[in-house]
Amino acid sequence: MKLQDSITTLKGIGGKKAEVFAGYGIETLEDLLYFFPRKYEDRRHETAIENLEPGKDALFCGTVISKRYSGNPYKRNTPLTLLVQDDTGIIEVVFFQGRYIEKLFQMNEDYSFYGRISSSFDRLQCIHPEFHRAGDPADIRGILPVYPAISGISQKELRKLQLQLKPLYGEVEEWLPAGIVECYRLAGPAYALENMHFPTDGRQVLSSKYRLIFDELLVLEAGLFYIKNDNSQNRDGVVINPAPAADFQKGLPFDLTEGQMTAWRDISRDLAGGKAMNRLVQGDVGSGKTVVAEMAMYAAAKSGFQSVMMAPTEILAKQHGASLKADFTPYGINVGLLYSSMKAAEKREVLAQLDSGEIDILVGTHAVIQPDVVFHNLGLVITDEQHRFGVNQRRLLTQKGANPNVLVMTATPIPRTLAVILYGDLDISQIRTMPKGRKPIKTTLADLEKRARVYDFVKEQLRAGRQAYVVAPLIEESDKIDAKSAEELYEELRDRLKPFSVALIHGAMKQDEKDAVMASFAEGATKVLVSTVVIEVGINVPNATVMVIENSERFGLAQLHQLRGRVGRGSQQSYCFLISQSESQLSNERNEIMCRTNDGFEIAEADLKLRGPGEIFGTRQHGLPELHISDLVRHGDVLEKAKDAAKEILTEDPNLQASANMQLKSRIKKMFGEEIKLEL
Ligand code: ADP
Ligand code: MG
């Protein structure tokens, strides 16, 4: 039996069940071993019958003193009532399907029961308890693990499978250095696994869980430290004089906001300092991050260094390219554009100009990290909308220069406490103020009855020359309830919004099809864009003033906020409509927050409270590895300790070359996957 064996080697798991498990990410014995209980039921202590309380689950024992059918005893599903007695009282135990159960109980014998206690006409009752004959190796006693539900697999089966895994505990060796184990008083890993699945007392569970959480967070922190080290945090970086940026600032048609000023102060300090900058600028859509980045690029150019700016999509790269050209050409600074679908000849020319140093600033898609892209002297690397890129892509870009400065911009607002962990390898600046004169978007909640009025309003806006987005939730096959699919919606709106042109864009379309639709919308030829969430990323169409989100209950707060950020980019008043058919409290709370505020950070805090970090970080959207047992907020204290331990290990062995750290290295690799390059 090996950790990496398939779960089909276990008794009771055939192809069908293996498929079910695979749906939950469980394929190997190791996966199953690390599939932990959600909670435990304490069934160690039996309660005397007189002390049983209705509404609570309890374990009780007693003698069966009567068996009685309440109905026709010849019918299979006639309920059976047992009277069970101990020294203190009597309780009724009821089973439906009585004829099948009856044979399992002998009169005047003792049994244990576990179930929810209720009462009926002042008599104590327990309906459908688990039960066991006294004296049997009682599997309903003790502390019982309750696993997260896996469809079609009972708790009993899950427990039996774990029983088969017991011989594997021996294969799990201590992998942390002895000093760390001792200093943080950690339980051994085999002990921890055994007690998670087969606990005998509560303290063991706590110390076991602590060990496993500690392990996971240690690997996370060590991975982040490793990246940070490698990002040449402490090595000399390119020094750029920030002072000339003042000239560029003077040429802007507006004053910087307070948030922009603070971010710029942070950046200038980094640029002038000897170490390479590694900074994240967080700010809502429209908060003016790009301007701040431009100041840095300007300073770099004036210090004689090239800059590169990487955007997640071709549309965005082109958009940035056009606006940077407009902003920089008056200063004699040369901007080049690069993306993969360019003509070969054009590409060659850009690459040549880049190599010779003729191009000062390169804007592009991930095409800019390809091996054929060679810079003359790269001093500043900027990535926009960071969560679309892996850590590794950022690293590849950084390697194109000799320790260039790195600036990452993201419009995904994350509460600071979490950002520190999430972007452990970066310093953080936040822009929390919006430019003056920006009209806050008016957000309205509409139910199905008001839906027609929403589209009347959309039509009015279209008549006034504006454009609109309509978003439909993505629909999975299995899930055809009554949510509107983008296609249906498109058909409906083409009719309803006549004579205005409506176009559809969705994730399954080819890239060039998508680009064509987007371009037509950006030019104003298309008036209404019906889409799935593909428009989430940065597109800028200032003339679009309405965002309608259908089935808004199907989106998370962060997503709703991102979507709403597509409008409100011009001088006109903008509107957002949330069309929701859900009465659920969660959905109501989300809608209420959306209507109340436009502040992304406030929304992020609220999101965290509503959903908990587990869900926010559950997706890989933010580039953080998935965590299985730990929770960044609830386990904040363990995180601190794990961070100290990780620091200790990496200070002593920065490249993780010591043989004692081999396991840590491979665990980091497993957790971070493609995003981290570790020589093993
Ligand atoms: P972000 O990248 O954060 O979404 P941008 O940098 O694209 O935001 O800025 C959005 C718009 O606001 C741009 O048209 C920009 O010129 C303008 N802008 C930026 N800063 C200011 C400011 N301080 N005052 C007025 N307008 C600003
Ligand atoms: Mg932007």
Side-chain angles (χ1 to χ4, degrees):
M1 199 180 213
K2 288 265 177 309
L3 286 167
Q4 291 316 317
D5 289 350
S6 157
I7 54 167
T8 50
T9 57
L10 295 176
K11 264 195 276 279
I13 299 196
K16 269 247 167 63
K17 278 192 184 161
E19 240 171 71
V20 174
F21 274 105
Y24 293 83
I26 300 169
E27 293 176 359
T28 64
L29 299 184
E30 186 175 23
D31 295 336
L32 192 59
L33 200 55
Y34 285 84
F35 178 70
F36 294 121
R38 176 168 64 81
K39 61 169 191 177
Y40 298 89
E41 279 172 3
D42 187 351
R43 303 184 181 182
R44 283 169 302 171
H45 308 290
E46 62 192 63
T47 306
I49 289 176
E50 69 171 352
N51 293 332
L52 291 173
E53 286 177 54
K56 291 199 170 150
D57 294 331
L59 177 75
F60 58 92
C61 307
T63 315
V64 172
I65 57 168
S66 133
K67 299 199 267 187
R68 170 169 55 82
Y69 288 109
S70 49
N72 181 348
Y74 298 102
K75 277 200 174 154
R76 213 178 144 268
N77 54 1
T78 296
L80 171 78
T81 302
L82 306 177
L83 287 184
V84 175
Q85 182 179 42
D86 72 359
D87 296 345
T88 66
I90 290 181
I91 182 170
E92 289 181 3
V93 174
V94 181
F95 294 97
F96 305 110
Q97 312 251 316
R99 293 221 342 130
Y100 161 71
I101 294 279
E102 193 266 342
K103 297 194 247 333
L104 302 175
F105 288 96
Q106 308 295 320
M107 287 291 287
N108 300 317
E109 294 275 344
D110 290 348
Y111 296 86
S112 321
F113 302 87
Y114 183 85
R116 174 68 47 95
I117 308 300
S118 54
S119 68
S120 162
F121 301 106
D122 272 350
R123 293 193 306 266
L124 282 175
Q125 266 192 347
C126 186
I127 297 175
H128 257 288
E130 290 180 49
F131 59 90
H132 230 275
R133 197 175 174 142
D136 275 6
D139 70 346
I140 68 163
R141 293 232 182 186
I143 300 178
L144 239 75
V146 180
Y147 291 93
I150 291 204
S151 77
I153 315 255
S154 72
Q155 288 292 327
K156 212 169 190 166
E157 262 180 291
L158 289 170
R159 287 175 204 140
K160 273 192 180 155
L161 289 172
Q162 289 296 342
L163 217 48
Q164 291 187 60
L165 294 182
K166 275 192 160 181
L168 276 178
Y169 299 148
E171 300 226 349
V172 183
E173 286 164 12
E174 180 56 69
W175 61 281
L176 282 173
I180 300 272
V181 173
E182 211 171 296
C183 172
Y184 295 94
R185 296 160 185 264
L186 301 174
Y191 172 94
L193 283 172
E194 171 153 22
N195 282 291
M196 285 301 284
H197 295 295
F198 301 99
T200 48
D201 83 48
R203 284 231 303 281
Q204 287 174 348
V205 174
L206 281 183
S207 69
S208 300
K209 201 164 174 190
Y210 187 91
R211 167 69 205 245
L212 293 160
I213 292 168
F214 188 93
D215 281 2
E216 189 166 69
L217 294 175
L218 175 83
V219 174
L220 174 71
E221 287 298 330
L224 291 172
F225 272 119
Y226 184 86
I227 296 167
K228 190 164 183 166
N229 274 342
D230 200 65
N231 272 349
S232 52
Q233 252 299 303
N234 298 309
R235 280 176 255 156
D236 293 342
V238 171
V239 177
I240 290 170
N241 175 14
D247 298 335
F248 180 82
Q249 191 188 334
K250 273 185 215 124
L252 291 171
F254 44 73
D255 293 329
L256 293 186
T257 63
E258 214 180 291
Q260 286 172 316
M261 299 272 268
T262 325
W264 173 246
R265 264 197 299 276
D266 293 342
I267 292 169
S268 358
R269 218 183 314 112
D270 294 346
L271 291 178
K275 292 181 205 162
M277 168 165 77
N278 239 330
R279 182 167 295 280
L280 173 78
V281 175
Q282 275 187 293
D284 250 321
V285 166
S287 60
K289 297 181 292 294
T290 316
V291 178
V292 176
E294 281 182 326
M295 289 173 65
M297 289 187 268
Y298 183 91
K302 291 296 164 189
S303 289
F305 290 102
Q306 290 174 308
S307 304
V308 61
M309 183 161 168
M310 179 162 72
T313 64
E314 199 168 307
I315 305 169
L316 263 182
K318 285 179 181 165
Q319 226 170 56
H320 276 314
S323 64
L324 294 192
K325 266 180 195 161
D327 291 346
F328 284 125
T329 312
Y331 297 98
I333 294 174
N334 232 332
V335 178
L337 183 62
L338 189 73
Y339 49 90
S340 32
S341 68
M342 259 162 83
K343 288 207 188 78
E346 276 180 294
K347 211 187 248 175
R348 265 199 305 279
E349 188 174 343
V350 171
L351 292 179
Q353 290 183 347
L354 195 66
D355 196 7
S356 71
E358 230 172 299
I359 287 180
D360 302 298
I361 295 170
L362 181 70
V363 183
T365 57
H366 53 267
V368 302
I369 56 175
Q370 299 313 309
D372 57 347
V373 180
V374 178
F375 289 84
H376 183 65
N377 60 347
L378 181 62
L380 174 63
V381 166
I382 298 172
T383 54
D384 194 11
E385 310 283 348
Q386 193 270 344
H387 63 274
R388 299 277 154 174
F389 297 113
V391 176
N392 210 30
Q393 281 179 301
R394 200 160 79 218
R395 173 203 306 266
L396 284 173
L397 194 51
T398 310
Q399 282 165 351
K400 294 200 175 280
N403 274 334
N405 296 283
V406 175
L407 185 62
V408 177
M409 301 191 291
T410 174
T412 311
I414 297 158
R416 193 178 195 98
T417 43
L418 290 183
V420 171
I421 302 156
L422 196 53
Y423 300 104
D425 58 327
L426 300 169
D427 300 313
I428 296 168
S429 303
Q430 290 185 338
I431 302 182
R432 296 196 67 152
T433 44
M434 283 303 223
K436 269 207 284 293
R438 198 63 59 84
K439 294 193 181 83
I441 301 160
K442 288 190 179 149
T443 303
T444 311
L445 179 64
D447 54 22
L448 283 184
E449 276 168 41
K450 297 199 192 106
R451 189 169 173 272
R453 293 206 341 240
V454 170
Y455 285 107
D456 289 345
F457 182 86
V458 171
K459 214 163 171 177
E460 251 171 63
Q461 288 280 303
L462 297 175
R463 276 194 209 104
R466 314 275 172 271
Q467 290 164 274
Y469 297 99
V470 180
V471 175
L474 206 58
I475 296 183
E476 294 164 25
E477 282 299 329
S478 61
D479 183 45
K480 283 188 179 135
I481 340 170
D482 34 19
K484 287 244 177 295
S485 80
E487 232 142 299
E488 275 175 276
L489 197 58
Y490 166 67
E491 293 299 335
E492 179 201 338
L493 293 183
R494 246 184 0 172
D495 209 43
R496 199 190 265 265
L497 299 176
K498 262 180 194 153
F500 298 101
S501 59
V502 180
L504 172 67
I505 188 167
H506 58 76
M509 279 161 71
K510 291 210 188 77
Q511 189 57 45
D512 50 345
E513 289 176 309
K514 278 194 255 183
D515 287 354
V517 174
M518 280 311 310
S520 157
F521 186 70
E523 281 162 17
T526 296
K527 298 298 179 195
V528 180
L529 190 64
V530 177
S531 75
T532 53
V533 281
V534 287
I535 52 156
E536 205 186 323
V537 173
I539 192 78
N540 189 26
V541 182
N543 189 45
T545 55
V546 191
M547 166 63 69
V548 181
I549 303 175
E550 293 268 4
N551 293 103
S552 65
E553 72 278 2
R554 303 194 134 224
F555 295 95
L557 260 181
Q559 231 176 353
L560 290 173
H561 179 64
Q562 290 276 328
L563 287 169
R564 179 171 60 182
R566 298 305 111 204
V567 297
R569 302 179 143 227
S571 50
Q572 304 292 336
Q573 176 64 53
S574 285
Y575 305 87
C576 174
F577 295 95
L578 306 173
I579 300 182
S580 167
Q581 24 184 313
S582 163
E583 302 281 299
S584 90
Q585 183 168 346
L586 181 63
S587 148
N588 289 343
E589 280 180 56
R590 274 190 212 140
N591 289 330
E592 190 267 319
I593 292 160
M594 286 295 290
C595 294
R596 187 182 69 214
T597 180
N598 275 296
D599 179 349
F601 289 97
E602 195 181 329
I603 289 171
E605 303 273 1
D607 203 15
L608 189 64
K609 282 206 195 99
L610 281 181
R611 292 197 297 163
E615 264 197 69
I616 294 180
F617 295 108
T619 67
R620 304 216 33 165
Q621 213 216 125
H622 299 286
L624 191 80
E626 219 173 313
L627 299 174
H628 295 290
I629 187 169
S630 44
D631 175 316
L632 293 174
V633 165
R634 268 194 304 142
H635 304 137
D637 50 336
V638 193
L639 183 74
E640 286 301 314
K641 297 207 168 90
K643 199 171 182 171
D644 291 344
K647 209 170 196 165
E648 228 171 280
I649 296 176
L650 274 132
T651 312
E652 213 155 282
D653 182 16
N655 292 317
L656 296 178
Q657 279 161 335
S659 62
N661 293 328
M662 280 305 121
Q663 275 252 31
L664 174 59
K665 204 166 172 173
S666 67
R667 280 177 190 239
I668 292 175
K669 200 170 169 122
K670 189 162 181 221
M671 183 184 278
F672 283 79
E674 291 300 302
E675 289 177 359
I676 194 162
K677 236 172 54 191
L678 276 172
E679 272 90 57
L680 281 178

